[in-house]
Amino acid sequence: MPDFLPIAYFQNKFVPFAEAKISIATHALHYGTGAFGGLRCLPDPENPQQCLLFRLDRHCQRLSNSARLLHYNLPPDKIETIIVEFIKQNKPTTSFYIRPFVYTSDLGISPRLHNIEKDFFVYGLELGDYLSPEGVSCRISSWYRQQDQSLPLRGKISGAYITSSLAKSEAVESGFDEAIMMNSDGKVSEASGMNIFLVRNGQLITPGFDQDILEGITRDSILTLAKDMGLPTIQRPVDKSELFIADEVFLSGTAAKITPVKRIENYHLSPNRPITEKLKDTLAAITENREPKYKDWVYTVKINK
């Protein structure tokens, strides 16, 4: 059972987490008509009276965009205000994860997005390493990533994650840590809840938006860092066989951060990962507010304890 933060934002007010409950008839529970975000927050190593949020503005904008796909007008500045107050209410002392969620909150059985009530809640839980920082093993999933023409993949729509759940369980139950999904064209798309990168001949490569990926914020940050480091980057279709012969492969996401891949199917990758480690160390320094060049990526919340 995760350690949840004591206070949640629910039905326009802050309440004890245990009291934030929905009905079994809630529309989104039946049809996956919700969308979520995810942010990591950690106490400032230099100042215990404040917490640090990584790219809060981008996370709030993406959730607002996801809400629009559900016909729900939820401005990013409102999301930001609530998340900041949520942190102040909880007064956290350890690293934690924030889960904001928009959903159709009406009680009904008709699948629709028009003429239906929507709502927004926020809760949090303590979270360390989501995946092993030493590296993970991956299998190529038999489940394919959805296509944007059938589901709006620019948003983190909750219903889309049935495929991720199937892929993840298939991987774990067959002896792997994580799944890599292909798209309908047979090209590499993403992992169950992470974007994917590979390094070949000193070049950083990742599937582009045309490969039915989620527009990952950590992914965007990595591409920016790589360019600033002078590392050649390219976004293009990736074949499955390229993963097996890559110099390095890693996964990226808010929960996963940067996680190296040590094995794909029965192909073992080199334990020497200089580019992955450099990007990983730099991203960690930024999130801890130790990189002056990227201070605008870190939002500081002052806590009155």
Side-chain angles (χ1 to χ4, degrees):
M1 185 70 174
D3 291 321
F4 292 101
L5 298 188
I7 303 297
Y9 178 80
F10 182 65
Q11 296 182 340
N12 299 312
K13 60 181 181 286
F14 290 97
V15 300
F17 173 79
E19 295 179 10
K21 298 178 180 180
I22 62 172
S23 166
I24 59 173
T26 301
H27 187 270
L29 178 64
H30 296 263
Y31 300 114
T33 44
F36 63 91
L39 304 85
R40 274 189 180 267
C41 187
L42 67 155
D44 188 341
E46 301 297 322
N47 184 351
Q49 298 300 314
Q50 59 189 30
C51 287
L52 306 175
L53 282 164
F54 180 67
R55 304 197 76 174
L56 174 63
D57 55 344
R58 287 294 301 273
H59 282 282
C60 293
Q61 183 62 63
R62 186 173 66 183
L63 184 60
S64 177
N65 291 343
S66 297
R68 286 174 60 193
L69 294 169
L70 297 175
H71 298 196
Y72 181 23
N73 180 27
L74 183 63
D77 57 343
K78 178 178 179 179
I79 300 171
E80 181 174 313
T81 298
I82 291 169
I83 287 175
V84 169
E85 182 59 29
F86 167 81
I87 294 169
K88 291 179 178 180
Q89 291 268 343
N90 279 286
K91 298 179 172 57
T93 58
T94 61
S95 177
F96 66 100
Y97 181 86
I98 302 170
R99 171 51 57 85
F101 191 82
V102 299
Y103 66 111
T104 51
S105 54
D106 241 328
L107 309 183
I109 60 171
S110 173
R112 69 186 192 277
L113 294 172
H114 65 284
N115 298 332
I116 192 168
E117 179 186 87
K118 283 96 173 181
D119 210 342
F120 168 58
F121 63 69
V122 182
Y123 71 91
L125 64 155
E126 294 182 13
L127 183 66
D129 291 321
Y130 179 70
L131 295 172
S132 171
E134 303 304 315
V136 294
S137 60
C138 298
R139 70 162 285 173
I140 305 299
S141 181
S142 66
W143 296 97
Y144 284 71
R145 173 72 166 157
Q146 303 98 324
Q147 295 176 286
D148 190 76
Q149 65 220 53
S150 63
L151 200 150
L153 300 179
R154 292 294 191 274
K156 288 180 69 99
I157 306 300
S158 60
Y161 282 78
I162 180 59
T163 307
S164 297
S165 301
L166 289 164
K168 177 75 172 187
S169 290
E170 177 187 60
V172 172
E173 290 173 354
S174 58
F176 295 84
D177 301 310
E178 188 51 67
I180 296 173
M181 293 184 288
M182 305 290 114
N183 62 23
S184 57
D185 293 325
K187 302 295 184 180
V188 175
S189 182
E190 60 182 34
S192 68
M194 294 135 271
N195 294 115
I196 187 168
F197 288 83
L198 60 152
V199 178
R200 293 192 67 194
N201 303 317
Q203 185 177 57
L204 186 67
I205 304 164
T206 191
F209 294 147
D210 58 349
Q211 302 304 300
D212 294 322
I213 66 168
L214 177 72
E215 294 183 350
I217 294 170
T218 306
R219 174 188 180 276
D220 175 77
S221 304
I222 290 167
L223 288 170
T224 300
L225 292 179
K227 290 176 182 176
D228 290 349
M229 293 173 179
L231 177 64
T233 62
I234 184 169
Q235 301 179 56
R236 63 162 174 80
V238 174
D239 290 317
K240 177 175 69 173
S241 61
E242 284 191 271
L243 297 177
F244 302 148
I245 61 174
D247 301 318
E248 305 175 43
V249 178
F250 64 86
L251 309 177
S252 71
T254 297
K257 297 181 279 191
I258 292 179
T259 298
V261 175
K262 60 185 180 183
R263 177 167 65 95
I264 302 174
E265 298 288 343
N266 60 331
Y267 292 86
H268 291 265
L269 302 179
S270 172
N272 184 30
R273 314 177 185 109
I275 291 175
T276 302
E277 293 303 324
K278 185 175 183 180
L279 289 167
K280 183 178 179 180
D281 291 345
T282 303
L283 188 64
I286 292 170
T287 58
E288 293 176 3
N289 210 19
R290 294 187 281 110
E291 283 284 351
K293 182 177 179 180
Y294 302 97
K295 279 190 174 294
D296 61 336
W297 282 4
V298 181
Y299 188 98
T300 301
V301 180
K302 297 190 182 301
I303 307 293
N304 295 319
K305 297 182 179 180

